[in-house]
Coordinates of all heavy atoms in Angstrom, one line a residue:
M1 N 3.9 22.6 -18.8 CA 3.8 21.6 -17.8 C 3.2 22.3 -16.4 O 3.6 23.5 -16.1 CB 5.2 21.0 -17.4 CG 5.1 19.9 -16.5 SD 6.6 19.1 -16.4 CE 7.0 19.2 -14.5
L2 N 2.2 21.6 -15.9 CA 1.6 22.2 -14.8 C 2.4 21.9 -13.5 O 2.7 20.8 -13.2 CB 0.2 21.5 -14.6 CG -0.7 22.0 -13.4 CD1 -1.1 23.4 -13.6 CD2 -1.9 21.1 -13.4
Q3 N 2.7 23.0 -12.8 CA 3.5 22.8 -11.6 C 2.5 22.5 -10.4 O 1.4 22.7 -10.4 CB 4.1 24.2 -11.2 CG 5.2 24.5 -12.1 CD 6.6 23.9 -12.0 OE1 6.8 23.3 -11.0 NE2 7.1 23.5 -13.1
T4 N 3.1 21.7 -9.6 CA 2.3 21.3 -8.3 C 2.3 22.6 -7.4 O 3.4 23.2 -7.1 CB 3.0 20.2 -7.6 OG1 2.9 19.1 -8.4 CG2 2.1 19.8 -6.3
S5 N 1.2 23.0 -6.9 CA 1.1 24.2 -6.0 C 0.0 23.9 -4.9 O -1.1 23.2 -5.2 CB 0.7 25.5 -6.9 OG -0.4 25.2 -7.6
I6 N 0.3 24.5 -3.8 CA -0.7 24.4 -2.7 C -1.8 25.4 -2.8 O -1.5 26.6 -3.0 CB 0.0 24.6 -1.4 CG1 1.0 23.4 -1.1 CG2 -1.0 24.5 -0.2 CD1 1.9 23.6 0.1
I7 N -3.0 25.0 -2.8 CA -4.2 25.8 -2.9 C -4.7 26.3 -1.7 O -4.8 27.6 -1.4 CB -5.3 25.0 -3.7 CG1 -5.0 24.5 -5.0 CG2 -6.6 26.0 -3.9 CD1 -4.7 25.5 -6.1
S8 N -4.8 25.5 -0.7 CA -5.1 25.7 0.7 C -4.6 24.7 1.5 O -4.3 23.8 1.2 CB -6.7 25.9 0.8 OG -7.1 24.5 0.8
Q9 N -4.3 25.3 2.9 CA -3.7 24.4 3.9 C -4.5 24.6 5.2 O -4.5 25.8 5.7 CB -2.2 24.7 4.0 CG -1.5 23.8 4.8 CD 0.1 24.1 4.6 OE1 0.6 24.9 4.0 NE2 0.9 23.2 5.3
E10 N -5.0 23.5 5.8 CA -5.6 23.4 7.1 C -4.8 22.6 8.0 O -4.0 21.9 7.5 CB -6.9 23.1 6.9 CG -7.9 23.8 5.8 CD -9.2 23.3 5.4 OE1 -9.6 22.3 6.1 OE2 -9.8 23.9 4.5
P11 N -5.2 22.4 9.2 CA -4.4 21.7 10.2 C -4.6 20.2 9.8 O -3.5 19.5 10.1 CB -5.2 21.8 11.4 CG -5.8 23.2 11.4 CD -6.1 23.4 10.0
N12 N -5.5 19.7 9.1 CA -5.7 18.4 8.9 C -5.8 18.0 7.4 O -6.0 16.8 7.1 CB -6.9 17.7 9.6 CG -6.6 17.7 11.1 OD1 -5.7 17.6 11.6 ND2 -7.8 17.8 11.9
A13 N -5.7 19.0 6.5 CA -5.8 18.7 5.0 C -5.0 19.9 4.3 O -4.8 21.0 4.6 CB -7.3 18.8 4.8
V14 N -4.6 19.3 3.1 CA -4.0 20.2 2.3 C -4.6 20.1 0.8 O -4.7 18.9 0.4 CB -2.4 20.0 2.1 CG1 -1.8 20.8 1.0 CG2 -1.7 20.2 3.5
T15 N -4.8 21.1 0.1 CA -5.4 21.1 -1.1 C -4.4 21.5 -2.2 O -3.8 22.5 -2.0 CB -6.7 21.9 -1.4 OG1 -7.7 21.5 -0.5 CG2 -7.3 21.8 -2.7
V16 N -4.1 20.7 -3.1 CA -2.9 21.0 -4.1 C -3.5 20.9 -5.6 O -4.5 20.2 -5.8 CB -1.7 19.9 -4.0 CG1 -1.1 20.1 -2.7 CG2 -2.2 18.6 -4.3
R17 N -2.9 21.5 -6.4 CA -3.1 21.5 -7.9 C -1.8 20.9 -8.5 O -0.8 21.2 -8.3 CB -3.4 22.9 -8.4 CG -3.7 22.9 -10.0 CD -3.8 24.3 -10.4 NE -4.8 25.0 -9.8 CZ -6.1 24.9 -10.0 NH1 -6.7 24.3 -11.0 NH2 -7.0 25.7 -9.3
M18 N -2.2 19.7 -9.3 CA -1.1 19.1 -9.9 C -1.6 18.4 -11.2 O -2.9 18.2 -11.4 CB -0.4 18.0 -9.1 CG -1.3 16.7 -8.8 SD -0.5 15.5 -7.7 CE -0.3 16.4 -6.2
S19 N -0.7 18.0 -12.1 CA -1.1 17.3 -13.3 C -1.7 15.9 -13.1 O -1.6 15.3 -12.0 CB 0.0 17.1 -14.3 OG 0.8 16.3 -13.8
R20 N -2.7 15.4 -13.9 CA -3.3 14.2 -13.7 C -2.3 13.1 -13.8 O -2.2 12.1 -13.1 CB -4.4 14.0 -14.8 CG -5.1 12.7 -14.5 CD -6.4 12.5 -15.3 NE -7.4 13.5 -14.9 CZ -8.2 13.5 -13.9 NH1 -8.1 12.3 -13.1 NH2 -9.1 14.3 -13.7
R21 N -1.3 13.2 -14.7 CA -0.2 12.3 -14.8 C 0.6 12.2 -13.4 O 0.8 10.9 -13.0 CB 0.8 12.8 -15.9 CG 1.9 11.6 -16.1 CD 2.8 12.1 -17.2 NE 3.8 11.2 -17.5 CZ 5.1 11.4 -17.6 NH1 5.4 12.6 -17.7 NH2 5.9 10.4 -17.8
R22 N 1.0 13.2 -12.8 CA 1.5 13.2 -11.5 C 0.6 12.5 -10.4 O 1.1 11.6 -9.7 CB 1.9 14.6 -11.1 CG 2.8 14.6 -9.7 CD 3.3 15.9 -9.6 NE 4.1 16.0 -8.3 CZ 5.3 15.8 -8.0 NH1 6.1 15.3 -9.2 NH2 5.9 15.8 -6.9
W23 N -0.7 12.8 -10.4 CA -1.6 12.2 -9.4 C -1.7 10.8 -9.6 O -1.7 10.0 -8.7 CB -3.0 12.9 -9.7 CG -4.0 12.2 -8.9 CD1 -4.9 11.5 -9.3 CD2 -4.1 12.4 -7.3 NE1 -5.8 11.0 -8.2 CE2 -5.2 11.5 -7.0 CE3 -3.4 12.9 -6.3 CZ2 -5.7 11.3 -5.6 CZ3 -3.7 12.8 -5.1 CH2 -4.9 12.0 -4.7
N24 N -1.8 10.3 -10.9 CA -1.8 8.8 -11.2 C -0.5 8.2 -10.7 O -0.7 7.1 -10.2 CB -2.0 8.6 -12.6 CG -3.4 9.0 -13.1 OD1 -4.3 9.0 -12.3 ND2 -3.6 9.3 -14.5
H25 N 0.6 8.8 -11.0 CA 1.9 8.3 -10.4 C 1.9 8.1 -8.9 O 2.3 7.1 -8.4 CB 3.1 9.1 -10.9 CG 4.4 8.6 -10.4 ND1 4.9 7.5 -11.0 CD2 5.3 9.1 -9.7 CE1 6.1 7.3 -10.6 NE2 6.4 8.2 -9.7
L26 N 1.3 9.2 -8.3 CA 1.4 9.1 -6.7 C 0.5 8.0 -6.2 O 0.7 7.4 -5.3 CB 0.9 10.5 -6.1 CG 1.9 11.6 -6.2 CD1 1.3 12.9 -5.8 CD2 3.2 11.2 -5.5
Q27 N -0.7 7.8 -7.0 CA -1.7 6.7 -6.6 C -1.0 5.4 -6.7 O -1.2 4.5 -6.0 CB -2.9 6.9 -7.6 CG -3.8 8.0 -7.2 CD -4.3 7.9 -5.8 OE1 -4.0 8.6 -4.9 NE2 -5.3 7.2 -5.6
K28 N -0.3 5.1 -7.9 CA 0.4 3.9 -8.1 C 1.5 3.6 -7.1 O 1.6 2.6 -6.5 CB 1.0 3.7 -9.4 CG 0.1 3.7 -10.6 CD 0.7 3.6 -12.0 CE -0.4 3.6 -13.0 NZ 0.2 3.6 -14.3
L29 N 2.3 4.8 -6.6 CA 3.1 4.6 -5.6 C 2.5 4.1 -4.2 O 3.0 3.3 -3.6 CB 3.8 5.9 -5.4 CG 5.0 6.3 -6.5 CD1 5.6 7.5 -6.2 CD2 6.1 5.2 -6.6
E30 N 1.4 4.7 -4.0 CA 0.7 4.5 -2.7 C 0.2 3.0 -2.7 O 0.3 2.3 -1.7 CB -0.4 5.4 -2.6 CG -1.1 5.3 -1.1 CD -2.2 6.3 -0.9 OE1 -2.6 7.1 -1.7 OE2 -2.8 6.2 0.2
E31 N -0.3 2.6 -3.8 CA -0.8 1.1 -4.0 C 0.4 0.2 -3.8 O 0.3 -0.9 -3.1 CB -1.4 1.0 -5.4 CG -2.8 1.5 -5.7 CD -3.3 1.3 -7.0 OE1 -2.8 0.6 -7.7 OE2 -4.2 2.3 -7.3
S32 N 1.5 0.4 -4.4 CA 2.8 -0.3 -4.3 C 3.2 -0.4 -2.7 O 3.5 -1.4 -2.4 CB 3.9 0.2 -5.1 OG 3.7 0.2 -6.4
Y33 N 3.1 0.7 -2.1 CA 3.5 0.8 -0.7 C 2.6 -0.1 0.1 O 3.1 -0.8 1.0 CB 3.4 2.2 -0.1 CG 3.7 2.4 1.3 CD1 4.9 2.3 1.8 CD2 2.5 2.5 2.1 CE1 5.1 2.3 3.2 CE2 2.8 2.7 3.5 CZ 4.0 2.6 4.1 OH 4.2 2.6 5.4
N34 N 1.2 0.1 -0.2 CA 0.3 -0.8 0.7 C 0.5 -2.3 0.4 O 0.3 -3.0 1.4 CB -1.1 -0.4 0.2 CG -1.6 0.9 0.8 OD1 -0.9 1.5 1.7 ND2 -2.4 1.6 0.1
V35 N 0.8 -2.7 -0.8 CA 1.1 -4.0 -1.1 C 2.4 -4.5 -0.3 O 2.5 -5.6 0.3 CB 1.3 -4.3 -2.6 CG1 1.8 -5.7 -2.9 CG2 -0.1 -4.2 -3.3
S36 N 3.3 -3.7 -0.4 CA 4.7 -4.1 0.3 C 4.4 -4.3 1.8 O 5.0 -5.0 2.5 CB 5.8 -3.2 0.0 OG 5.5 -1.9 0.5
V37 N 3.5 -3.3 2.4 CA 3.3 -3.4 3.8 C 2.6 -4.8 4.2 O 3.0 -5.4 5.1 CB 2.5 -2.2 4.5 CG1 1.9 -2.3 5.7 CG2 3.4 -1.0 4.3
A38 N 1.7 -5.1 3.3 CA 0.9 -6.4 3.5 C 1.9 -7.6 3.4 O 1.7 -8.6 4.2 CB -0.2 -6.4 2.5
I39 N 2.8 -7.6 2.5 CA 3.7 -8.6 2.3 C 4.6 -8.7 3.5 O 4.9 -9.8 4.0 CB 4.6 -8.4 1.0 CG1 3.7 -8.7 -0.2 CG2 5.7 -9.3 1.0 CD1 4.3 -8.3 -1.5
R40 N 5.1 -7.5 4.0 CA 6.1 -7.5 5.1 C 5.3 -8.0 6.3 O 5.9 -8.9 7.2 CB 6.5 -6.2 5.4 CG 7.6 -6.1 6.4 CD 8.1 -4.8 6.7 NE 7.1 -3.7 6.5 CZ 7.3 -2.5 6.5 NH1 8.4 -2.0 6.6 NH2 6.2 -1.6 6.4
R41 N 4.0 -7.6 6.5 CA 3.2 -8.1 7.7 C 3.1 -9.7 7.6 O 3.3 -10.4 8.6 CB 1.9 -7.5 7.6 CG 1.2 -7.5 9.0 CD -0.1 -6.7 8.9 NE 0.1 -5.3 8.8 CZ -0.4 -4.5 7.8 NH1 -1.5 -4.9 7.1 NH2 -0.1 -3.2 7.6
G42 N 2.8 -10.2 6.4 CA 2.7 -11.6 6.1 C 3.9 -12.4 6.4 O 3.9 -13.5 7.0
M43 N 5.1 -11.8 6.0 CA 6.4 -12.5 6.3 C 6.6 -12.5 7.8 O 7.2 -13.5 8.3 CB 7.4 -11.7 5.6 CG 7.5 -11.7 4.0 SD 7.5 -13.4 3.4 CE 9.2 -13.8 3.8
K44 N 6.2 -11.6 8.6 CA 6.4 -11.5 10.0 C 5.6 -12.7 10.6 O 6.0 -13.3 11.6 CB 6.1 -10.2 10.6 CG 7.2 -9.1 10.3 CD 7.0 -7.8 11.1 CE 8.1 -6.9 10.7 NZ 7.8 -5.6 11.3
Q45 N 4.3 -12.8 10.1 CA 3.4 -13.9 10.6 C 4.0 -15.2 10.2 O 4.0 -16.1 11.1 CB 2.1 -13.8 10.0 CG 1.2 -12.6 10.5 CD -0.1 -12.4 9.8 OE1 -0.3 -13.2 8.8 NE2 -0.9 -11.6 10.3
V46 N 4.7 -15.3 9.1 CA 5.3 -16.7 8.8 C 6.4 -17.1 9.8 O 6.6 -18.2 10.1 CB 5.8 -16.6 7.3 CG1 6.6 -17.8 6.9 CG2 4.6 -16.5 6.4
E47 N 7.1 -16.1 10.1 CA 8.3 -16.3 10.9 C 7.8 -16.7 12.4 O 8.5 -17.5 13.1 CB 9.2 -14.9 11.1 CG 9.9 -14.6 9.9 CD 10.6 -13.3 10.1 OE1 10.4 -12.6 11.0 OE2 11.1 -12.8 9.1
K48 N 6.7 -16.3 12.8 CA 6.1 -16.6 14.1 C 5.3 -17.9 14.2 O 5.1 -18.4 15.2 CB 5.3 -15.4 14.7 CG 6.1 -14.2 14.9 CD 5.3 -13.0 15.4 CE 6.1 -11.7 15.6 NZ 5.3 -10.6 15.9
A49 N 4.9 -18.3 13.0 CA 3.9 -19.4 12.8 C 4.6 -20.7 13.3 O 5.8 -20.8 12.9 CB 3.5 -19.4 11.4
P50 N 4.0 -21.8 13.9 CA 4.7 -22.9 14.2 C 4.9 -23.8 12.8 O 4.2 -23.5 11.9 CB 3.7 -23.6 15.1 CG 2.4 -23.1 14.7 CD 2.7 -21.6 14.4
S51 N 5.9 -24.5 12.8 CA 6.3 -25.4 11.7 C 5.2 -26.5 11.6 O 4.6 -27.0 12.5 CB 7.5 -26.1 11.9 OG 8.6 -25.1 11.9
M52 N 4.8 -26.7 10.2 CA 3.7 -27.9 9.9 C 4.5 -28.8 9.0 O 5.2 -28.5 8.1 CB 2.6 -27.1 9.3 CG 1.8 -26.3 10.1 SD 0.3 -25.8 9.2 CE -0.5 -24.7 10.2
S53 N 3.8 -30.0 9.0 CA 4.2 -31.0 8.0 C 3.4 -30.7 6.8 O 2.4 -30.0 6.9 CB 3.8 -32.5 8.6 OG 2.5 -32.6 8.6
I54 N 3.5 -31.4 5.7 CA 2.9 -31.3 4.4 C 1.4 -31.6 4.7 O 0.5 -30.8 4.3 CB 3.4 -32.1 3.4 CG1 4.9 -31.5 2.9 CG2 2.6 -31.9 2.0 CD1 5.6 -32.3 2.0
G55 N 1.1 -32.6 5.4 CA -0.4 -33.2 5.6 C -1.0 -32.1 6.6 O -2.1 -31.7 6.2
E56 N -0.3 -31.5 7.6 CA -0.9 -30.5 8.4 C -1.2 -29.4 7.6 O -2.4 -28.7 7.7 CB -0.1 -30.1 9.7 CG 0.1 -31.3 10.6 CD 1.2 -31.0 11.6 OE1 2.2 -30.3 11.4 OE2 1.1 -31.5 12.8
A57 N -0.3 -28.9 6.8 CA -0.5 -27.6 5.9 C -1.8 -27.9 5.0 O -2.6 -27.0 5.0 CB 0.7 -27.3 5.1
I58 N -1.8 -29.0 4.4 CA -3.0 -29.2 3.5 C -4.2 -29.3 4.2 O -5.3 -28.7 3.7 CB -2.8 -30.6 2.7 CG1 -1.6 -30.4 1.7 CG2 -4.1 -31.0 2.1 CD1 -1.1 -31.8 1.1
E59 N -4.3 -29.9 5.4 CA -5.6 -29.8 6.1 C -5.9 -28.5 6.7 O -7.1 -28.1 6.6 CB -5.4 -30.8 7.3 CG -5.4 -32.3 7.1 CD -6.7 -32.7 6.3 OE1 -7.9 -32.3 6.8 OE2 -6.6 -33.5 5.4
S60 N -5.0 -27.8 7.0 CA -5.2 -26.3 7.4 C -5.8 -25.6 6.2 O -6.7 -24.7 6.4 CB -3.9 -25.7 7.9 OG -4.1 -24.3 8.3
L61 N -5.3 -25.7 5.0 CA -5.9 -25.1 3.9 C -7.2 -25.5 3.5 O -8.1 -24.6 3.1 CB -4.9 -25.3 2.6 CG -3.6 -24.5 2.8 CD1 -2.6 -24.9 1.6 CD2 -3.7 -22.9 2.7
R62 N -7.5 -26.7 3.6 CA -8.9 -27.3 3.4 C -9.8 -26.9 4.4 O -11.1 -26.6 4.0 CB -8.8 -28.8 3.4 CG -8.2 -29.4 2.2 CD -8.2 -30.9 2.2 NE -7.6 -31.5 1.0 CZ -7.1 -32.6 0.9 NH1 -6.9 -33.4 1.9 NH2 -6.5 -32.9 -0.4
S63 N -9.5 -26.5 5.6 CA -10.4 -26.0 6.6 C -10.7 -24.6 6.4 O -11.7 -24.0 7.0 CB -9.8 -26.2 8.0 OG -8.7 -25.3 8.3
L64 N -10.1 -23.9 5.6 CA -10.4 -22.5 5.2 C -11.5 -22.5 4.4 O -12.4 -22.1 4.1 CB -9.3 -21.8 4.5 CG -7.9 -21.6 5.3 CD1 -6.9 -21.1 4.5 CD2 -8.0 -20.8 6.6

């Protein structure tokens, strides 16, 4: 099994060696995090949005 190791380290970047399986797992975790941030941001917008009737909501969607 390939251990994760630091190849080089600079003030703004780090180069590491790791298995492709671990890299793919980290990529999936990052994608999940980005989706959850977008959902949370949307939920906050919903809380601040004014209430609409069903007709107003349909007209708003049609205008998009």
Side-chain angles (χ1 to χ4, degrees):
M1 184 169 128
L2 182 63
Q3 294 289 328
T4 302
S5 58
I6 296 175
I7 305 295
S8 68
Q9 191 168 359
E10 300 169 10
N12 295 326
V14 176
T15 303
V16 296
R17 181 181 305 274
M18 68 178 66
S19 69
R20 183 163 301 276
R21 181 175 184 227
R22 184 171 175 90
W23 173 252
N24 290 336
H25 181 68
L26 289 172
Q27 290 293 105
K28 287 180 183 178
L29 288 174
E30 186 175 9
E31 289 174 17
S32 298
Y33 172 78
N34 290 336
V35 168
S36 67
V37 167
I39 290 170
R40 185 175 41 186
R41 198 175 295 134
M43 294 301 290
K44 286 183 180 179
Q45 287 178 348
V46 166
E47 289 173 2
K48 295 177 184 176
S51 298
M52 292 185 181
S53 69
I54 294 175
E56 291 172 330
I58 291 172
E59 287 303 315
S60 178
L61 290 173
R62 285 184 178 151
S63 69
L64 298 176

